[in-house]
Amino acid sequence: MMPWQSHIWHLPLLLTGEAVAEQAPTVPPYAFRCQNEPLAKFYRETVPVDSPKTWTCEGTSVHPISFAIPSEDIVPCVPEKFTDFASLLPGVEETYIFPMTSFGEMEYKRMYREARFGVKIRRQGWETMRIYEILAAGSMPYIEKVEQIPPTALVFVNKTLLKAARELGGRKDGTWPGYAMLAAELLRHTQQHLTTEALARYILSASGRGHASKVLYISHCLHGDYQCYVSLHGLRRVLGDGLVDIPRLDYMYEPHVAPMQPIERRMLCPQTSCTVLSGGRGDTGKATFGMAGEGMPVAIYGGGFSYAYRLQDLPVNRSLSALRRSLASHEFDAVIFPNAEVAQGHGPREVRLLVHLARQHYQPKDIIVLAEDSAVGRGEPRELELIFMLDLVLRA
Ligand SMILES: *[C@@H]1O[C@H](CO)[C@@H](O)[C@H](O)[C@H]1NC(C)=O
Ligand SMILES: *[C@@H]1O[C@H](CO)[C@@H](O)[C@H](O)[C@H]1NC(C)=O
């Protein structure tokens, strides 16, 4: 058994259509129950996804990329619904009532599971974890201006289904004809194409490394750098101990807490400044704002919901001498720089040294860079041949 398999929903139970309710993490007052339709075998049918388009730009090949969700967060079927719209409204602070605790995370997810729709609004870009959280909960994202999403954003999401969800949620008469079937189609697509494993396989295969078994990931993830978090999560699940992630991000790993002991949801700010808006805490329910400079303790971004505290420790040798040797002898099938910061050689000393070593021993075509579109144009352009861009916007 692969180490990660224990995290996955127990498929055999799901497929026989029995005992599914026992498998979903849930908290009272509502037990997790599937809607009656469609039957479990519906989810087994594989559905297609378009391969995202690729561009070549002055010798650099550019692929769009998107966030993803850990498979353990995805429900096996559309749950029973109790409300039309989830109570959380993006941008409305009073609705951010979830404390950044394990209980808060369960309640946050229960909110979406029991709601027919979850509202998502566009901020700077289209990409947010929220859309994946809504989908993983077996709810429907209700997205304003959904028709304006370009094909280069939310690349793995089925836009036809998203538009249908927007249309259904916009009905004023309080009836939702065809809800169960559309929700199930969205969920099935999510289970098959929006997991972090699917993302990791895409990164590897689109860069011509579908058979990679050993990859170096310079995991200097910034505060709130979801692309870095979810890519690391998926690559670990796909490659097991073949993924060498350095530096080790403690908050990505299982924390081993005793019963009733809270997880210490803090980290050291990895960049010039970190800001957090935390959901309601304890009894007051008031949202709090925090800020920290580089190296100072700060609340983990978004409480760590949907990405943190879940990787299993595997024996990975992160000693510099071992890495030096592995890089010099080309043991890695690829090196990944998970953001523009790393690609531009910024970060702590250890990170800068690793980037330097990687560039010394590896050709640009063996270095995979994940970046936000807006970040790439800045700074000195480097000789990069493989870039994956988030929220890519094409300019004439
Ligand atoms: C999106 O879903 C629809 C309805 O199931 C399906 O016909 C279509 O092929 C899907 N498109 C993509 C790109 O996956
Ligand atoms: C890691 O690799 C180094 C250098 O090859 C070696 O000296 C060290 O014993 C290894 N550590 C572990 C825990 O295997």
Side-chain angles (χ1 to χ4, degrees):
M1 188 153 135
M2 295 284 287
W4 48 267
Q5 274 176 349
S6 58
H7 294 273
I8 289 201
W9 294 100
H10 290 254
L11 239 31
L13 287 176
L14 168 64
L15 299 184
T16 59
E18 294 161 23
V20 167
E22 290 172 17
Q23 301 303 321
T26 182
V27 282
Y30 305 120
F32 186 95
R33 282 190 298 264
C34 296
Q35 295 195 348
N36 291 333
E37 293 290 337
L39 294 173
K41 80 176 204 310
F42 168 89
Y43 295 98
R44 240 182 316 171
E45 246 169 63
T46 51
V47 287
V49 65
D50 288 338
S51 308
K53 205 170 174 299
T54 296
W55 290 266
T56 305
C57 191
E58 292 168 19
T60 298
S61 86
V62 178
H63 307 264
I65 198 173
S66 273
F67 296 168
I69 188 110
S71 52
E72 64 267 20
D73 280 40
I74 306 177
V75 294
C77 57
V78 176
E80 279 185 350
K81 301 295 175 183
F82 297 89
T83 54
D84 287 339
F85 282 82
S87 62
L88 189 148
L89 299 173
V92 182
E93 241 178 63
E94 311 86 86
T95 69
Y96 287 42
I97 58 171
F98 300 95
M100 295 195 166
T101 61
S102 303
F103 173 66
E105 181 166 4
M106 282 195 278
E107 282 293 276
Y108 173 72
K109 288 174 180 170
R110 183 167 71 83
M111 169 193 69
Y112 283 130
R113 287 175 186 180
E114 68 178 56
R116 290 187 180 85
F117 300 94
V119 175
K120 185 223 167 277
I121 53 166
R122 185 182 175 196
R123 298 266 181 78
Q124 292 100 329
W126 289 102
E127 202 70 42
T128 52
M129 274 308 274
R130 194 178 315 285
I131 191 169
Y132 301 92
E133 290 166 339
I134 294 169
L135 287 165
S139 186
M140 284 186 197
Y142 177 84
I143 306 178
E144 291 292 351
K145 310 211 175 88
V146 66
E147 67 288 347
Q148 294 177 8
I149 304 175
T152 46
L154 301 175
V155 277
F156 309 116
V157 180
N158 184 321
K159 313 266 187 354
T160 311
L161 297 177
L162 271 196
K163 283 180 198 154
R166 167 68 180 77
E167 207 162 293
L168 188 58
R171 286 174 67 95
K172 297 283 181 267
D173 63 358
T175 69
W176 319 108
Y179 181 90
M181 199 57 202
L182 181 56
E185 283 198 68
L186 278 161
L187 178 59
R188 178 169 65 180
H189 184 90
T190 303
Q191 292 168 343
Q192 297 181 13
H193 300 300
L194 305 184
T195 62
T196 57
E197 288 95 326
L199 170 67
R201 292 207 172 88
Y202 165 75
I203 294 173
L204 294 175
S205 69
S207 54
R209 284 177 175 68
H211 300 293
S213 61
K214 195 158 182 191
V215 169
L216 177 63
Y217 194 85
I218 316 279
S219 44
H220 177 54
C221 298
L222 303 182
H223 191 242
D225 190 352
Y226 283 110
Q227 192 68 61
C228 189
Y229 305 149
V230 296
S231 303
L232 169 60
H233 183 277
L235 286 160
R236 166 67 86 229
R237 290 281 162 87
V238 167
L239 297 170
D241 62 7
L243 183 79
V244 176
D245 54 324
I246 181 165
R248 182 185 185 280
L249 302 174
D250 290 346
Y251 57 84
M252 291 298 289
Y253 285 85
E254 288 175 344
H256 299 295
V257 285
M260 293 310 292
Q261 290 304 303
I263 300 173
E264 184 62 61
R265 290 177 187 262
R266 299 183 77 70
M267 61 187 281
L268 298 181
C269 174
Q271 64 225 48
T272 317
S273 93
C274 296
T275 51
V276 272
L277 177 66
S278 311
R281 280 176 194 221
D283 302 332
T284 69
K286 277 227 171 69
T288 55
F289 185 75
M291 209 169 161
E294 190 166 351
M296 303 297 289
V298 66
I300 181 171
Y301 197 87
F305 290 12
S306 310
Y307 67 90
Y309 307 116
R310 36 182 94 214
L311 292 183
Q312 202 184 351
D313 242 330
L314 296 179
V316 171
N317 193 333
R318 297 183 177 84
S319 83
L320 192 54
S321 58
L323 286 168
R324 243 183 229 286
R325 180 141 19 98
S326 304
L327 281 167
S329 59
H330 283 247
E331 270 176 38
F332 297 108
D333 298 306
V335 178
I336 301 182
F337 295 163
N339 51 44
E341 180 91 352
V342 173
Q344 287 163 6
H346 302 311
R349 213 176 71 87
E350 180 190 39
V351 169
R352 295 198 312 264
L353 179 60
L354 285 166
V355 168
H356 174 77
L357 286 172
R359 288 207 186 278
Q360 191 182 345
H361 294 294
Y362 281 74
Q363 306 274 323
K365 68 174 176 45
D366 299 319
I367 296 177
I368 299 170
V369 178
L370 315 183
E372 274 183 52
D373 186 5
S374 54
V376 173
R378 276 189 254 132
E380 202 52 22
R382 312 252 345 196
E383 203 194 333
L384 305 167
E385 292 199 348
L386 273 167
I387 307 188
F388 289 78
M389 280 197 209
L390 184 66
D391 255 328
L392 180 63
V393 178
L394 295 177
R395 297 178 194 86

